[in-house]
Structure formats: C-alpha cells, structure tokens
Amino acid sequence: MALTHSQRHRREGHPVTVENADTGEYLGRILDLNIDHFMVLTDHQLQPKQTINLILHMPEPTLSHDTVCLKAECLWCQNSNFSSKFGASFHIEQIDDQNSETLDSYINGH
C-alpha cells in the first residue's frame, strides 16, 4: 500500500534513513516507501540488479522497533533531478514476519 500524501507529508521532517547492513555505511534517506518497494536519495551510485542487506532506521519506534531489516534489489539508480545526489529504486526481496509487520504498521501510521 502506498503512503498517502498526508502520511508522506507527516514524515518529511523525520525521514526513514537507510544503512547497508553488511558494511554499516549510511546510504541515504527514503523518499517514497511502500510495502514492497521504496526509493532512496543517496550520495552513492548504486548498481542495478545488486541485492543488498539493508537496515531502515525509523524516526520513531513502531511496534516497539526502531529498525527494519530486509534484503532488497536495486532496480535502477540515476542522477536526481533536484539535487546532486542519486535516486535509487529498490524492490524488497526478503523480509521476515516481524520486520514486515513493523514496516506495514509504520506505513499505515499505526
């Protein structure tokens, strides 16, 4: 389910940030978040078809969790139209039940 305009607006001041779980490297912040995909604004030019273990850091705890761990494939990465950064789209390939529930609850504002 996509974020509604009001959900996106409510979260703009406190973005979800993304970390590479394998390296600990900060990747960027999420611009759009759905239950099965998301878009990140990043300083890094990522490779399409690359699968990465990621940690999403939520701006506030959801269901007593402030992170969501998952594996996602980079679908595309290109220069951003509104900054010197890159926009990258990811498809969630693997997420366990607990992390999926946390993500769903965050997206739906519970």
Side-chain angles (χ1 to χ4, degrees):
M1 171 178 276
L3 285 173
T4 65
H5 176 70
S6 62
Q7 287 172 315
R8 277 193 207 114
H9 180 71
R10 183 178 58 199
R11 302 184 196 290
E12 282 177 2
H14 304 282
V16 175
T17 58
V18 183
E19 172 188 342
N20 183 319
D22 296 325
T23 67
E25 182 177 31
Y26 171 80
L27 285 186
R29 63 185 176 94
I30 291 185
L31 297 179
D32 190 23
L33 178 61
N34 292 279
I35 196 66
D36 63 351
H37 64 276
F38 55 94
M39 191 166 87
V40 175
L41 186 64
T42 180
D43 290 329
H44 307 279
Q45 187 168 12
L46 303 170
Q47 296 300 313
K49 298 184 181 179
Q50 176 183 20
T51 299
I52 307 172
N53 293 312
L54 299 172
I55 302 171
L56 309 185
H57 294 273
M58 308 314 220
E60 69 262 351
T62 303
L63 300 178
S64 301
H65 301 284
D66 58 0
T67 61
V68 170
C69 299
L70 53 86
K71 183 179 285 191
E73 178 186 8
C74 180
L75 301 176
W76 53 261
C77 183
Q78 62 189 30
N79 290 323
S80 170
N81 291 331
F82 53 88
S83 77
S84 61
K85 298 179 183 285
F86 296 92
S89 177
F90 286 88
H91 177 263
I92 297 173
E93 291 194 337
Q94 187 176 7
I95 185 170
D96 68 25
D97 290 341
Q98 177 183 326
N99 283 292
S100 182
E101 288 175 18
T102 301
L103 183 61
D104 182 60
S105 182
Y106 177 80
I107 288 170
N108 290 304
H110 297 123

